[in-house]
Amino acid sequence: MARIRTIKPEFFTSLTVASLPVEARLTFVGLWTHVDDEGRCVDDARLIKAAVWPLDDRLSTDVELDLKRLSESSLILRYKVGERSYLAVRGWSEHQRINRPTKSKIPPPPVTPEPPPASEETPPPPAETPGQDASNPPGSESSEQAHAQLSEDSRQERNREQGTGKGRKPSPPASQATQEMALPDRIDVERVCTYLAEWIVKNGSKRPTITKKWRTDARLLIDKDGRALDEIRDVIAWSQRDPFWRSNILSLPKLREKYDQLRLAMQREQPGTGLASAGQPIPSSISAADGAPLPAGTGNSRMTDAMRLAAHYDALDGTNTISRHLTGA
């Protein structure tokens, strides 16, 4: 029964494979789909020809020649158990990841099989130790070259992924904080992020970390959404003074997500204050006016917000006209 197997680009750059005729290479690849989940099959050129070359005019004698070349290159192991002949793909378990493998009905190779004849291109594999699967000799360099990284579970692939290759020490994982932190972007982006962060601290919360995600959303808010800096400043200040929104807007991504809702709510509650005066730069931090003490008798939350907003705009134009008007002074 044919099976789905894995092949990687490194197969085509293997010097061992490249030394074989094209027909032998294709027979080798076809063997992977023909052998069982432990890399074994009956060593009969007629059966292999029927499985690998069913629609071609090749003869079983041609396939036998392919198998001989593969054996001489140490890519397969041909062996006998009793009177039956079998073959096994060398390095199979190192190069193919089988999901829920079926146990092989074919006996494994003998513990100390006779090594294949040596060729000029490929040295013979080292002798195997007792108890070792002959179909997977660890020192067969040609086998590893032929199957190099044929699956995600190969030894070379695992070493690369886990950082355990020879001559390399695994790199320590970067901390989450280091991964999240990013270098400063633009001045306007930094001011927006810092302004919101300082408001959050002023409201009694822990100072948030200005991450790459913060800066990205601030940049998109300015560039893609087309929001003016003075409008962003007013929306931040209003949301952080509002008893409901200041507990919900604790990051720049959340501010951008709820921006239109915040802007409209601010304009409904305080008509005419949705946009700041043109030309006023967004502060690099909260000014003294933003947190200025309120006059006595202004405990109502709406009056409190109105007084703070008035103090903010008085500070911008250098007068106290709005504050005096609200307090009757």
Side-chain angles (χ1 to χ4, degrees), residues 249-260:
I249 306 300
L250 297 175
S251 70
L252 223 305
K254 180 60 70 172
L255 174 73
R256 183 171 179 246
E257 177 187 343
K258 300 293 184 181
Y259 189 87
D260 284 331

Side-chain angles (χ1 to χ4, degrees), residues 193-235:
C193 294
T194 303
Y195 191 60
L196 176 58
E198 293 193 1
W199 260 114
I200 292 172
V201 173
K202 182 176 181 294
N203 284 333
S205 299
K206 181 181 178 181
R207 185 176 188 86
T209 301
I210 299 178
T211 63
K212 182 179 180 180
K213 176 66 174 171
W214 272 54
R215 293 184 173 98
T216 298
D217 278 85
R219 178 178 54 80
L220 292 174
L221 187 63
I222 298 169
D223 297 344
K224 183 177 181 180
D225 300 347
R227 302 302 180 185
L229 293 180
D230 48 8
E231 181 186 281
I232 297 173
R233 174 199 61 200
D234 288 345
V235 170

Side-chain angles (χ1 to χ4, degrees), residues 2 58 86 104 120 142 155 215 297:
R58 303 196 76 207
Y86 304 100
S104 178
E120 294 182 359
S142 58
R155 181 164 57 208
R215 293 184 173 98

Side-chain angles (χ1 to χ4, degrees), residues 37 160 180 279 292:
D37 288 346
R160 182 183 296 110
E180 289 185 352

Side-chain angles (χ1 to χ4, degrees), residues 187-188 191-192 195 228-234 276-287 290 312-313 315-317:
I187 294 178
D188 53 351
R191 285 190 172 184
V192 168
Y195 191 60
L229 293 180
D230 48 8
E231 181 186 281
I232 297 173
R233 174 199 61 200
D234 288 345
S277 302
Q280 293 294 341
I282 189 168
S284 58
S285 62
I286 299 176
S287 65
D290 288 320
H312 175 72
Y313 284 104
L316 292 178
D317 61 14

